[in-house]
Amino acid sequence: MFRLFKIIAILEGISYLALFSNMLFLKPTNFVLYKTLLYPIGMSHGLLFISYILLAFLNKASQKWNLKNFAIILIASLVPFGTFYVDKKYLKNA
């Protein structure tokens, strides 16, 4: 389950950056392409975000994360590039 969490963390970070890229770069220049890509990117990011949070709760006990580390892991999902930081610092033993 820990290996799956590591994979979901990376994919969630990539989808977050893809969603931001769609909003920042495509919306002002190509509104039709922006609207076309918004639903699939947004839906995949939403599913990956929920999976990340659920897997974090499921892995909390098995990985023996204290409250501070667990809070950092959860908050990292809200910050761009945060899941990559979590992967490098907290998920390196998978």
Side-chain angles (χ1 to χ4, degrees):
M1 178 112 31
F2 187 66
R3 179 114 173 106
L4 178 63
F5 180 63
K6 184 176 172 113
I7 292 168
I8 293 293
I10 295 297
L11 291 175
E12 198 273 334
I14 292 170
S15 71
Y16 197 28
L17 294 177
L19 192 60
F20 273 149
S21 297
N22 186 34
M23 289 188 305
L24 291 174
F25 302 122
L26 288 181
K27 188 174 183 181
T29 59
N30 192 346
F31 192 72
V32 174
L33 183 60
Y34 162 77
K35 292 291 273 186
T36 305
L37 294 176
L38 183 63
Y39 183 76
I41 294 173
M43 180 62 77
S44 63
H45 171 69
L47 292 173
L48 288 167
F49 176 76
I50 291 169
S51 301
Y52 179 87
I53 298 298
L54 288 175
L55 286 170
F57 274 99
L58 291 174
N59 282 307
K60 182 182 184 293
S62 66
Q63 297 302 313
K64 298 178 179 69
W65 291 326
N66 60 21
L67 187 60
K68 178 186 171 194
N69 289 344
F70 185 61
I72 290 170
I73 289 168
L74 290 179
I75 292 171
S77 66
L78 303 174
V79 179
F81 299 102
T83 57
F84 301 119
Y85 170 76
V86 165
D87 180 53
K88 185 166 179 68
K89 184 159 183 180
Y90 297 101
L91 309 179
K92 59 185 164 196
N93 60 350

